[in-house]
Amino acid sequence: MRFLFLERGTLWTYGLPDGLRDLGHQVRASGPVREQSLRQQLRSYKPDMLVSVGWGPDHTRKQQRLVRKLATEYRIPLIYWSTEDPNFTDVFTLPLLKRMKPDYTFTISEKTANRFRRLGYPAAYLDYAYHPRVHYRTRVKKKYKTDIALVANAYPDVLKKYPKLYRNQSLRILVRPLLKNGYRIHFYGRNWSRMKSILGFSIPPEWIKGHISYKNANQVFSSAKIMIGLQNYTDMLTQRTYETLGSSGFFLTCDTPAVRGTLKPGRDVAVSSTPEETLRKVRYYLKHESEREKIRRNGRSAIARHNYTARARFMLSTLSKKGVIR
């Protein structure tokens, strides 16, 4: 089959597209969603399926309606993979579904998939994963070598608007105590300079490393002794969880039901429930390299089946059973 991802060629050209390629399918990214260029690609490439993912610059109301119009006109199934649930389901995903009317929707939230089905939208649960060609262990790189690192965007505006979002608590458990006690953390991602009101501390500018490309993040995961892993929800795992463990990084994250549902604390991952526990765990694991090495290797094994080839296979099987593809 030929898949056209409605994507500018950044984040979502990796992962799920790689999994589809592993299964022998052709995958292209469309570039910016514009009517003329899309029509040209629909005529020349002749995709068997259109795939839209997440919330990006091409998810305006006008573009959502355009995608639906072209999918109908060219009689091509349109699939949407929702990666902003459940926090943004009401303000973003449901309005999108009403306008774009995808033939099938996948979401990273199992509870939201159930909700979509109750509302009459064909839907299934499809979580994040990692791909071994993108997320793998590298040699320790001098550029990224450090005791503690964090790869994530800060999202200060979202955290202020949604104070009950678990990510706020995750920051208080994992990051704030380390800053308070003078531990140097290398922050990769956007807007960490704007986090003083949330963390209670200004991050020294030299600790803020800025954006890192998706394909280079595994070098940080492989070079830092401890990777701090924020969680957004207690019943879901972040994308970074799969990617860090897939890269055999040592992962210190929050002790949540979702973490315990997939990983065994102390064997596959290090966990913390309080600021005090975070400090104890960091002190211990910085001193015990052999323990770190054992856990990071176990973490990679524990996450092995959660790869994008398996996710792509599940997606296609679901679409076949539901009659969306033949």
Side-chain angles (χ1 to χ4, degrees), residues 115-311:
R115 181 182 177 191
F116 288 161
R117 289 193 292 269
R118 289 196 300 271
L119 292 172
Y121 297 105
Y125 167 57
L126 183 70
D127 201 1
Y128 290 123
Y130 80 99
H131 196 279
R133 284 202 300 273
V134 179
H135 297 104
Y136 55 88
R137 185 77 175 173
T138 71
R139 291 181 293 104
V140 173
K141 302 295 178 71
K142 183 178 179 181
K143 179 179 180 181
Y144 301 119
K145 186 177 181 181
T146 188
D147 282 350
I148 309 169
L150 192 161
V151 177
N153 291 326
Y155 300 117
D157 297 328
V158 172
L159 296 173
K160 290 174 185 175
K161 187 173 182 179
Y162 300 96
K164 294 183 179 179
L165 187 65
Y166 184 75
R167 192 181 183 93
N168 279 289
Q169 188 171 339
S170 190
L171 285 163
R172 288 192 291 269
I173 292 171
L174 298 173
V175 177
R176 188 172 181 177
L178 296 177
L179 293 177
K180 184 178 180 180
N181 286 270
Y183 282 92
R184 182 186 180 103
I185 304 172
H186 285 184
F187 292 87
Y188 292 88
R190 296 185 173 93
N191 294 318
W192 285 103
S193 61
R194 297 175 51 205
M195 291 289 284
K196 182 179 180 180
S197 62
I198 292 169
L199 293 172
F201 301 90
S202 293
I203 301 171
E206 62 271 22
W207 297 6
I208 298 175
K209 305 300 180 179
H211 173 72
I212 186 168
S213 71
Y214 188 73
K215 287 200 75 173
N216 288 338
N218 67 323
Q219 298 179 41
V220 179
F221 304 152
S222 301
S223 301
K225 293 178 182 177
I226 296 175
M227 289 300 309
I228 298 296
L230 302 177
Q231 297 296 335
N232 295 328
Y233 308 98
T234 59
D235 60 344
M236 296 166 59
L237 295 178
T238 58
Q239 179 180 4
R240 205 70 69 196
T241 302
Y242 294 112
E243 294 168 353
T244 306
L245 293 172
S247 304
S248 295
F250 179 90
F251 202 58
L252 172 60
T253 191
C254 293
D255 191 352
T256 68
V259 170
R260 286 183 174 269
T262 302
L263 305 161
K264 184 174 180 180
R267 184 191 70 185
D268 310 320
V269 67
V271 299
S272 174
S273 298
T274 66
E276 295 75 21
E277 187 176 10
T278 296
L279 292 171
R280 289 197 303 271
K281 293 287 177 73
V282 166
R283 282 194 294 264
Y284 179 82
Y285 285 114
L286 285 179
K287 291 179 180 178
H288 294 84
E289 181 180 2
S290 62
E291 289 294 313
R292 290 201 317 270
E293 290 296 299
K294 188 185 301 182
I295 288 174
R296 72 164 185 81
R297 287 194 298 269
N298 289 341
R300 173 62 176 79
S301 298
I303 217 76
R305 66 187 178 90
H306 296 279
N307 60 75
Y308 276 115
T309 308
R311 297 288 194 257

Side-chain angles (χ1 to χ4, degrees), residues 7-35:
E7 161 69 32
R8 292 182 176 226
T10 52
L11 175 61
W12 291 114
T13 55
Y14 305 108
L16 188 60
D18 287 324
L20 290 166
R21 293 186 187 103
D22 291 341
L23 299 177
H25 302 287
Q26 298 179 47
V27 183
R28 287 188 185 179
S30 67
V33 175
R34 298 176 183 141
E35 183 166 4

Side-chain angles (χ1 to χ4, degrees), residues 1-4 20-21 23-28 45-50 77 315-316 319 324-326:
M1 292 179 65
R2 291 183 296 273
F3 292 82
L4 184 63
L20 290 166
R21 293 186 187 103
L23 299 177
H25 302 287
Q26 298 179 47
V27 183
R28 287 188 185 179
Y45 180 51
K46 300 183 186 303
D48 299 296
M49 185 173 296
L50 300 176
M315 184 185 85
L316 296 177
L319 294 175
V324 179
I325 58 175
R326 298 180 185 277

